[in-house]
Amino acid sequence: MKENSEKKCPGDMITDGVLAYGVDVGRFVFESENCTVYVISDLPHISASDVFMIY
């Protein structure tokens, strides 16, 4: 990873919509690298905590 890489967290995801099964469709915009990464994400309940999964 480059030292000047832009870091993102789940709150930085721009949500574009929700699929029928409750899965979010969205994107992360990395302005310093002029790149957009499109993702689908899910927030499953596993044991005693929630986990944010990005595919």
Side-chain angles (χ1 to χ4, degrees):
M1 182 188 315
K2 297 189 304 186
E3 285 184 34
N4 60 354
S5 292
E6 192 175 342
K7 297 180 180 171
K8 297 291 182 179
C9 65
D12 295 327
M13 187 177 95
I14 300 167
T15 302
D16 293 322
V18 179
L19 298 178
Y21 0 108
V23 175
D24 287 325
V25 177
R27 57 198 148 95
F28 288 101
V29 178
F30 295 88
E31 294 175 5
S32 64
E33 297 178 18
N34 197 23
C35 177
T36 301
V37 178
Y38 294 92
V39 299
I40 58 173
S41 67
D42 193 11
L43 185 63
H45 182 73
I46 300 173
S47 290
S49 64
D50 292 330
V51 177
F52 184 70
M53 308 267 303
I54 296 175
Y55 307 96

